Amino acid sequence: MEYIGEHLLPGQLGHLFIVLSLVASLIATFSYFKSAQSKNDIDAAYWKKLARIAFITEVISVFAIFSILFYIISNHLFEYKYAWQHSSRSLEVKYLLACFWEGQEGSFLLWSIWHCVLGLILIKTSKKWEAPVMTVVSLMQFALATMIAGIYFFGWKMGTNPFILLRDSGVLDNAPALHINGDVAMGLRQDYMLSIKDGNDLNPLLQNYWMVIHPPVLFMGFASTIVPFAFVIAGLWKKNFGEWTKPALPWALFSAAVFGVGIMMGAMWAYESLTFGGYWAWDPVENASLVPWLILISGIHTLLIYKHSGHSLRATNLFLILTFGFVLYSTFLTRSGILGETSVHAFTDLGMNMQLLVFLLMFVLPALVLLIIRYKEIPTIHKEENTSSREFWMFIGSLVFFLSALVIIGKTSIPVVNKILGTKIAPPEKAEFSYNQIMVFISIIIAVLTAVTQYLKYKNTSTKVFLKKILIPFVIAAIIATLVLVVGKVNYEKETFGFMVAIWMAVACSIFTIVANAAYIWLGLKGKLKLSGGSISHVGFGMVLLGILISSSNKEVLSNNIGGIPAPLDKNEDPRENLTLVKGLTVDMGKYSLTYEGDSSHPKKQLSYYKVHFKSKDGKEEFVLTPNSFVNYKGNEGLMSNPDARHYWNHDVFTYITSISNPDKTKDTTTFRPKDLKPGDTLFYSSGFIIYKNLNKKEDLPVDLFGKDGSLYEANLKVHSKTGSLYSIAPKLAMAKGNEMAVPDTVLAESIVLQLEKVNPDKSITLGIKESNAVMDYITLKAYKFPYIRLLWFGVVITAIGIIISMVRRIRLNRENVSQS
């Protein structure tokens, strides 16, 4: 049956290119393998040529799949499940790419795209290493192609196809109205597409510009880890155990820079989009991406040790294998559904658990087996490193990084252990603190090693010379650290005093790292920045540590609610830390006066922007923040908020909405209760009392509005709240052209409305009073102060710049060595 309104050609082309990609990547893998195994140059060249043709065909196919899927999403072809599930007509154009990688299929495709780019560069640059290295890359491309194949083999489905039609996905089985005679068994109506007006939309938390750029950078980091891994496999496979390290080192540095920036872009997204009040929460998915980066850093440092001393080649092989292995393991964790209840980042289970597990094991197990088989053949220097040598302490630092990664992944893998062993190990009550109490001591060790190691020489170092060089940076760092700790008041009092002392030590050591490495650029490298990549990246790393420690330990809640208006809050929010702002009323918050000035709505979504005016009490500072929130979005009850922040050089003021007034739930069903009052009388209400002061009559009013004998009465009232607040209010009663018209007045903060209903000659009045929650238009706000958080963001940039400088230098050295040989 042909269905009205369906566009089948894009999907058919997409299916074709998926199959072509799958076949081409398999041919490329086989051909590169044959080229690497060939005994003569003619056969090797023939197979390499065939492999290149197949790989380029695969590249064209992957980019075609990407283009077709983007066409389907951007043109709102909701007959395709992927477009319907992840996009909508109301979605802003700038977020269309984020729809692409919200789903598993699109994110696998993004990963594959980066492998295509890296593979083309490797074909151009890797020379004699091309065949064995590209065998591994092509095999990975084949594995990724199976993830989006959606092909059945003997009843088993391999992957999930992004071009599956909505009517074939089973989603519409729950919509009888779209079926013939309302009967699902009779099939869909021919015109069912006429009833599908819009898609399911992109997750509101992903509608942020960071989610347009963060996933591509992070997946470039994921993808790039295969290159050092492939060089390791090539070296072990061809028994060329040391030579592979030269081309692999620039790739490892590139991967570390991109991967690290990608992770911290995710932290920036969390800071700007999530409401846990920070940028890192030791979320399982955050951890799963951090662990391979930590191991990669270990591998880079052992690579440098091998280059300068001949030590640590075996450890380098292991670290680079495990880096890629934990990238695959993180893929399994985040896509298997195991973390679904413990992480806001995890994908849902698409029934691919076995395929994901095979994906992991088909690379990691053979690599580890090959390493074990070749282990004794890998050259090593049996003489122990001198404890005064640079390589000894670099290895200690690498080992600390590696062990910290194992601790993190061990804690993160508790759900996996529970599922495999059937245990019920509960996560710690204070999940963040369980990580922080370990990592703070690791940061102390790493910071000290990062500070002092560059002042040591390879092989051996004179103690006298070392102490002479390190003394000045140490003294300067000690003075700065003392000033920061005393003047900056770095106090974290939520946990034990011992933990606070550890934070002080970590702050001091981070400052030592920054000062010592900055000094080494001039003391050790004579100011030659081209040679200073390592020192620059270490300065950046020290800034990252210092920024994390100060911004987290000195994070201050500004929105202290003392005697304010209570509001309904999520169970995770502390009422004492959430300040309710009534529209139009100014409220004190620390050094600021805040006024909720109003809100505006998105023209197509249930998204509201709340305008909050900040003014410092000394009058020197004034700004407006507009945090926003999705309310009851797509049938989901509750509030989903996006923060807003004011950035200064030394701190951020960070705010987000925790509660809002809900007109649908607070419809005004109350009526005015009349009360006769004389001047000086008191009227009580639930939260205070009202005093009737006097009555004013205004005459000489516009005749065209009030008529000849028109008049306007105004009752002057004082409202005394039990909280101590005092309000003046003046309801009015107009006599216009023979008609009476009451003009009520409202005290929003007290949720009362007063209406002047009758005026007597003796100035006594009948006053109507109404108490109603519907009166008050309010928001509840949480505000933090993050001191010196820019140290963290600048530190990330400087770290990446230092690594890139090192990478460029290594590439140049490799080219010089090739030209000389």
Side-chain angles (χ1 to χ4, degrees):
M1 180 187 293
E2 292 187 4
Y3 294 92
I4 298 170
E6 286 189 343
H7 303 78
L8 299 181
L9 182 59
Q12 291 166 349
L13 289 173
H15 282 291
L16 173 65
F17 282 112
I18 283 176
V19 174
L20 184 59
S21 168
L22 189 68
V23 174
S25 57
L26 185 60
I27 292 173
T29 303
F30 179 77
S31 300
Y32 270 126
F33 177 80
K34 291 292 289 183
S35 176
Q37 289 292 86
S38 295
K39 302 298 183 183
N40 62 75
D41 293 341
I42 296 175
D43 287 346
Y46 168 79
W47 285 110
K48 185 185 291 186
K49 183 178 179 181
L50 179 61
R52 287 178 174 179
I53 293 170
F55 188 82
I56 291 170
T57 302
E58 200 256 340
V59 169
I60 294 170
S61 300
V62 169
F63 276 91
I65 295 166
F66 180 92
S67 301
I68 293 168
L69 188 56
F70 185 74
Y71 172 83
I72 288 172
I73 292 171
S74 59
N75 286 277
H76 310 301
L77 303 185
F78 297 129
E79 57 267 41
Y80 294 95
K81 181 191 174 187
Y82 204 84
W84 174 83
Q85 189 172 19
H86 302 294
S87 70
S88 70
R89 295 185 188 280
S90 62
L91 188 68
E92 296 169 77
V93 173
K94 61 186 177 182
Y95 298 134
L96 286 175
L97 278 175
C99 299
F100 192 93
W101 37 76
E102 184 192 26
Q104 291 211 37
E105 302 92 328
S107 59
F108 276 127
L109 190 54
L110 177 61
W111 194 345
S112 185
I113 284 171
W114 286 130
H115 275 164
C116 290
V117 174
L118 296 173
L120 292 175
I121 296 171
L122 285 167
I123 289 172
K124 180 73 174 175
T125 61
S126 56
K127 297 181 172 56
K128 73 172 187 176
W129 291 101
E130 179 185 345
V133 167
M134 286 301 297
T135 300
V136 178
V137 174
S138 298
L139 180 61
M140 181 62 182
Q141 282 294 80
F142 173 73
L144 289 172
T146 66
M147 294 295 171
I148 60 170
I151 300 173
Y152 283 89
F153 290 98
F154 305 104
W156 173 69
K157 184 182 177 185
M158 181 175 70
T160 56
N161 193 310
F163 300 107
I164 188 172
L165 292 168
L166 186 62
R167 59 180 162 88
D168 294 331
S169 67
V171 171
L172 300 183
D173 291 349
N174 297 318
L178 300 182
H179 292 75
I180 299 171
N181 298 329
D183 186 354
V184 175
M186 295 185 68
L188 286 166
R189 298 195 325 256
Q190 195 171 6
D191 64 347
Y192 82 96
M193 277 300 300
L194 298 178
S195 301
I196 300 176
K197 304 295 185 183
D198 206 353
N200 197 48
D201 205 9
L202 180 68
N203 185 325
L205 294 178
L206 303 184
Q207 294 181 34
N208 180 283
Y209 65 95
W210 282 110
M211 289 311 293
V212 178
I213 56 177
H214 155 58
V217 176
L218 184 63
F219 273 91
M220 168 63 96
F222 279 161
S224 62
T225 60
I226 198 175
V227 182
F229 171 82
F231 273 106
V232 170
I233 299 303
L236 294 172
W237 174 10
K238 306 306 291 182
K239 296 187 178 182
N240 197 338
F241 298 110
E243 195 174 337
W244 65 267
T245 59
K246 292 179 181 178
L249 180 55
W251 281 106
L253 290 166
F254 170 78
S255 183
V258 175
F259 203 167
V261 169
I263 291 170
M264 294 313 295
M265 279 183 172
M268 181 63 86
W269 165 72
Y271 181 64
E272 292 197 1
S273 292
L274 302 182
T275 56
F276 61 82
Y279 42 83
W280 195 269
W282 296 109
D283 180 273
V285 174
E286 294 173 342
N287 298 347
S289 61
L290 177 63
V291 164
W293 184 83
L294 290 172
I295 299 175
L296 176 61
I297 297 301
S298 297
I300 288 171
H301 284 84
T302 53
L303 255 177
L304 292 170
I305 291 171
Y306 173 73
K307 179 183 177 299
H308 290 282
S309 70
H311 287 285
S312 300
L313 183 57
R314 291 172 175 173
T316 301
N317 280 268
L318 177 64
F319 289 152
L320 296 182
I321 287 173
L322 290 180
T323 296
F324 183 65
F326 276 109
V327 165
L328 299 182
Y329 180 63
S330 72
T331 303
F332 172 76
L333 279 181
T334 56
R335 297 168 189 272
S336 62
I338 288 177
L339 298 179
E341 297 179 359
T342 60
S343 173
V344 298
H345 303 78
F347 292 93
T348 54
D349 182 7
L350 292 182
M352 294 167 55
N353 288 11
M354 184 54 67
Q355 191 175 346
L356 289 167
L357 187 60
V358 171
F359 182 36
L360 168 64
L361 297 178
M362 72 180 287
F363 284 93
V364 177
L365 281 184
L368 291 176
V369 169
L370 184 60
L371 176 61
I372 292 169
I373 292 171
R374 298 277 197 260
Y375 186 79
K376 291 184 178 179
E377 299 177 56
I378 298 173
T380 183
I381 297 174
H382 294 288
K383 181 183 176 183
E384 294 292 332
E385 299 102 321
N386 194 313
T387 55
S388 65
S389 66
R390 181 184 291 190
E391 62 266 28
F392 177 83
W393 293 106
M394 281 178 68
F395 183 78
I396 295 297
S398 300
L399 202 57
V400 172
F401 260 108
F402 178 61
L403 293 176
S404 67
L406 294 184
V407 170
I408 294 169
I409 202 65
K411 287 177 172 287
T412 305
S413 299
I414 288 175
V416 180
V417 174
N418 286 339
K419 191 159 188 175
I420 293 173
L421 302 181
T423 54
K424 295 182 180 179
I425 303 172
E429 185 178 347
K430 296 181 179 180
E432 287 187 40
F433 181 62
S434 71
Y435 287 97
N436 291 338
Q437 65 182 343
I438 297 171
M439 299 309 295
V440 68
F441 291 104
I442 288 174
S443 66
I444 292 169
I445 297 169
I446 292 295
V448 171
L449 291 175
T450 306
V452 304
T453 301
Q454 289 204 91
Y455 287 85
L456 298 170
K457 293 182 178 180
Y458 285 104
K459 307 285 177 73
N460 190 25
T461 306
S462 165
T463 303
K464 185 177 179 180
V465 173
F466 167 73
L467 292 175
K468 183 179 179 181
K469 287 183 177 180
I470 201 69
L471 180 61
I472 294 175
F474 177 80
V475 172
I476 294 171
I479 294 170
I480 296 174
T482 302
L483 291 173
V484 168
L485 291 171
V486 174
V487 179
K489 298 179 181 178
V490 180
N491 296 314
Y492 187 78
E493 298 175 351
K494 289 184 178 180
E495 303 299 340
T496 63
F497 179 73
F499 184 67
M500 187 162 66
V501 171
I503 288 177
W504 293 341
M505 292 172 63
V507 167
C509 292
S510 300
I511 293 170
F512 186 30
T513 295
I514 296 168
V515 172
N517 281 279
Y520 187 77
I521 295 172
W522 280 268
L523 295 176
L525 300 171
K526 312 300 181 186
K528 298 176 182 177
L529 293 180
K530 290 182 180 180
L531 304 178
S532 305
S535 296
I536 292 170
S537 62
H538 290 162
V539 168
F541 179 70
M543 291 173 66
V544 168
L545 282 181
L546 187 60
I548 290 171
L549 290 163
I550 292 180
S551 65
S552 298
S553 61
N554 261 22
K555 182 173 73 173
E556 178 186 352
V557 176
L558 299 177
S559 52
N560 293 304
N561 187 5
I562 302 172
I565 304 168
L569 296 170
D570 183 87
K571 63 181 181 180
N572 295 321
E573 291 289 352
D574 186 345
R576 295 169 298 179
E577 296 180 352
N578 291 265
L579 189 64
T580 297
L581 306 177
V582 177
K583 188 175 180 179
L585 296 182
T586 300
V587 176
D588 286 343
M589 187 185 80
K591 74 171 195 173
Y592 296 105
S593 295
L594 271 61
T595 308
Y596 166 37
E597 296 183 338
D599 58 77
S600 58
S601 299
H602 192 283
K604 296 182 180 179
K605 297 180 184 293
Q606 292 166 288
L607 173 64
S608 297
Y609 299 85
Y610 300 93
K611 186 177 180 182
V612 182
H613 184 266
F614 285 69
K615 186 175 182 180
S616 63
K617 293 175 182 177
D618 59 11
K620 295 180 179 178
E621 193 179 342
E622 195 169 357
F623 57 91
V624 173
L625 294 181
T626 53
N628 65 69
S629 65
F630 289 84
V631 186
N632 300 331
Y633 189 68
K634 292 288 183 182
N636 296 315
E637 287 289 328
L639 193 69
M640 302 175 71
S641 297
N642 286 318
D644 195 12
R646 174 77 170 182
H647 305 289
Y648 297 88
W649 72 270
N650 61 345
H651 71 276
D652 280 4
V653 176
F654 174 96
T655 62
Y656 64 92
I657 303 297
T658 54
S659 179
I660 61 172
S661 52
N662 188 341
D664 295 333
K665 290 187 176 181
T666 56
K667 290 181 180 177
D668 190 4
T669 58
T670 59
T671 57
F672 283 99
R673 175 169 52 90
K675 181 71 175 178
D676 294 329
L677 298 173
K678 294 179 181 178
D681 284 355
T682 299
L683 169 64
F684 289 90
Y685 69 100
S686 61
S687 298
F689 60 92
I690 303 162
I691 298 176
Y692 169 37
K693 291 290 187 181
N694 56 57
L695 184 71
N696 295 329
K697 182 181 179 182
K698 294 186 179 181
E699 298 178 345
D700 299 326
L701 301 167
V703 176
D704 58 332
L705 292 177
F706 287 84
K708 253 186 198 183
D709 302 318
S711 59
L712 180 66
Y713 293 93
E714 182 180 86
N716 295 313
L717 308 165
K718 290 290 185 182
V719 180
H720 296 259
S721 169
K722 66 182 182 182
T723 61
S725 300
L726 178 65
Y727 306 94
S728 295
I729 189 169
K732 299 174 179 64
L733 181 64
M735 307 293 184
K737 297 180 179 179
N739 298 313
E740 288 188 359
M741 185 172 62
V743 182
D745 205 351
T746 304
V747 183
L748 292 172
E750 298 296 298
S751 297
I752 59 172
V753 183
L754 298 174
Q755 178 174 284
L756 185 56
E757 297 181 346
K758 185 179 178 182
V759 174
N760 300 311
D762 62 353
K763 292 192 176 183
S764 64
I765 60 172
T766 299
L767 185 70
I769 180 169
K770 178 168 66 173
E771 297 187 61
S772 171
N773 288 331
V775 171
M776 189 164 64
D777 188 1
Y778 71 89
I779 59 172
T780 303
L781 187 81
K782 191 163 189 177
Y784 289 105
K785 178 182 177 182
F786 281 97
Y788 297 100
I789 193 169
R790 289 202 168 191
L791 264 177
L792 167 60
W793 309 128
F794 287 143
V796 171
V797 174
I798 292 171
T799 302
I801 289 172
I803 294 173
I804 295 299
I805 291 172
S806 296
M807 181 194 77
V808 170
R809 179 169 174 261
R810 295 297 169 184
I811 292 172
R812 286 176 178 169
L813 288 174
N814 287 347
R815 287 175 179 172
E816 290 172 6
N817 291 335
V818 170
S819 62
Q820 289 173 3
S821 60

